[in-house]
Amino acid sequence: MTRKPLLIGNWKMFKTSQEANEFINELRRQLATSFQDDREVTLGVPFPSLEAAAQAAVGSPITIAAQNLHWEAEGAFTGEVSGPMLTAAGARAVIIGHSERRQLFGDTNEWINKKLSAALKYSLTPILCLGETWEDRKTGRAFELLGRQLAEALSGLTTPTLVPLVIAYEPVWAIGTGQTATPKTAQETHAFIRQWLTAHYDHSFANAVRLLYGGSVKPDNVAQLMDQTDIDGALVGGASLKPDSFARIINFDR
Ligand code: PGA
């Protein structure tokens, strides 16, 4: 089974629409001579910059993603944004359940499950984030916790509806800390996630789902991570904020 590598930049709360436009123009310039289409590129952009980013990306290999959504299409939900609004703004994917949303904004597995269903309903590729804290890892509870996050996030969802799903494993202790999981730890955890999928879904789906690693991915460690059997891509925060650094990650040697 060949899974096409997927490199996603997660801009978090960075970049106005003008900055997004400038970044994408520069990234396109840098990729113009070097991009190999054996891989895919996505940028996770703040809501107000989605439209500008999508326009700047037209005719390029870059797909635009949002970083959150509400599960209803519309309603009295002050401050929330729906799937149809995201697609209308040009997003084709959405990050769901990032650990910052879970830890700082109270996203629960139940909400994440509803957001996932809504993303699929509105034809947005869901990028589901999972990850354990250092405490969970230290006490040997990482897999138990990840299994629970998977079970609750995917509850009631079946194939073929789930086919577009992308999963990003992001250990909380590795996000923004410069402390990347070793390729061995990341691979073991990805293998666990794939086994979990194999136990709960058909084998062809479990084999085809792309599992991304996230947490302090940089130009100089991406290739080693991507070399692991079950690592099919990267979700990149800090190192996706500069076009040259993100271009080097995209252009990792296979
Ligand atoms: P980082 O963030 O690459 O800055 O560690 C990753 C993420 O939060 O998605």
Side-chain angles (χ1 to χ4, degrees), residues 235-251:
L235 182 55
V236 186
S240 74
L241 292 171
K242 296 242 159 58
D244 51 331
S245 142
F246 193 46
R248 283 168 63 209
I249 290 174
I250 294 167
N251 289 332

Side-chain angles (χ1 to χ4, degrees), residues 10 12 98 100 170 174-176 215-217 235-238:
N10 174 15
K12 310 191 179 189
H98 189 279
E100 285 149 18
E170 298 204 302
I175 295 176
S216 298
V217 175
L235 182 55
V236 186

